[in-house]
Amino acid sequence: RDLEKMSVSLQSDLAAAQNQSVQTLLTKLNTVIQKIAKDGQYDMITSTANMLYLNNSINLTPQVIDQLK
């Protein structure tokens, strides 16, 4: 029983740490994307996740990755 409680507690701690890491990354990512948009005078930057078609001639991914480093 104690082992089960410890397992649940550790899983909860892990989930909380993962959520915190994701939130930290998303905050930094948002800051970088806003800077790229402002500096490049872009009106919109979108994710390809929900795109049916995308002309890939303007791909800012390398810039975002460089600035995240």
Side-chain angles (χ1 to χ4, degrees), residues 29 33 37 44:
L29 183 60
I33 290 172
M44 181 186 329

Side-chain angles (χ1 to χ4, degrees), residues 12-65:
S12 177
D13 291 347
L14 176 60
Q18 287 174 327
N19 286 339
Q20 180 61 42
S21 294
V22 168
Q23 287 303 316
T24 300
L25 177 60
L26 289 176
T27 298
K28 187 173 182 181
L29 183 60
N30 188 43
T31 300
V32 166
I33 290 172
Q34 286 184 20
K35 181 181 184 316
I36 289 171
K38 182 178 178 185
D39 293 349
Q41 298 179 343
Y42 294 104
D43 293 324
M44 181 186 329
I45 296 178
T46 63
S47 167
T48 60
N50 296 314
M51 297 281 180
L52 296 176
Y53 171 79
L54 176 65
N55 180 338
N56 211 17
S57 64
I58 301 175
N59 185 348
L60 301 176
T61 303
Q63 286 178 269
V64 172
I65 291 171

Side-chain angles (χ1 to χ4, degrees), residues 2-20:
D2 289 337
L3 188 56
E4 187 177 319
K5 286 181 183 179
M6 184 185 298
S7 175
V8 169
S9 177
L10 289 173
Q11 288 176 353
S12 177
D13 291 347
L14 176 60
Q18 287 174 327
N19 286 339
Q20 180 61 42

